[in-house]
Amino acid sequence: MEETGTDFLKIGLVLAAFPLWGPFAKALYDELQVALRPEGGLFGDSPSPRERKAIEAEIEMEEITQVHEPLAHLRDQVGHRPGTQGRARHPGHGRPSASAGPQAGSARRAFRGSTGPTAAPPRNTFR
């Protein structure tokens, strides 16, 4: 008898969570219907050869909805630079103070192996 109570609880939880999974299921169903149009849809009958040619001609006339842009970040270099959304726009604001130490980035040093004056790294004299 307790199994029916837990079954009702499980069904109730699935139905209560419908606002979360319902739109996803509907979008998935619609996408499958569009993808399987030449075959008659997800649960439909197979179209006749004439209908199939008409559907394929319709598909060829549609605009491509998925576009691959590997260099999209380079398209608009003047108006938008990636990574600058949260930075201060005024000079002097948001910069670390000079007394904050090397962890705050107050002193800019070249990487090892880069061109420019190379100095040996300071030795740790603390004992």
Side-chain angles (χ1 to χ4, degrees):
M1 205 60 170
E2 290 184 30
E3 291 180 10
T4 58
T6 57
D7 289 342
F8 285 129
L9 181 63
K10 290 176 187 176
I11 292 170
L13 286 174
V14 168
L15 292 176
F18 181 76
L20 298 174
W21 60 265
F24 173 76
K26 184 182 181 304
L28 183 63
Y29 176 77
D30 292 341
E31 189 70 26
L32 286 173
Q33 282 291 92
V34 170
L36 297 174
R37 263 190 298 180
E39 287 83 23
L42 193 58
F43 298 113
D45 296 332
S46 297
S48 67
R50 183 182 297 165
E51 291 172 347
R52 177 175 280 195
K53 286 183 182 180
I55 291 171
E56 289 174 354
E58 181 183 321
I59 290 172
E60 288 180 15
M61 297 300 292
E62 290 178 356
E63 189 175 319
I64 297 174
T65 58
Q66 296 175 347
V67 178
H68 177 67
E69 294 186 26
L71 302 176
H73 65 282
L74 297 176
R75 179 182 57 206
D76 188 21
Q77 290 182 350
V78 177
H80 172 72
R81 289 186 182 156
T84 59
Q85 289 86 4
R87 296 189 184 160
R89 301 263 186 232
H90 305 290
H93 290 252
R95 292 186 179 179
S97 64
S99 63
Q103 292 85 4
S106 61
R108 295 186 181 252
R109 288 183 248 151
F111 291 111
R112 292 182 200 170
S114 64
T115 59
T118 58
R123 299 184 74 181
N124 189 357
T125 58
F126 180 77
R127 292 184 189 211

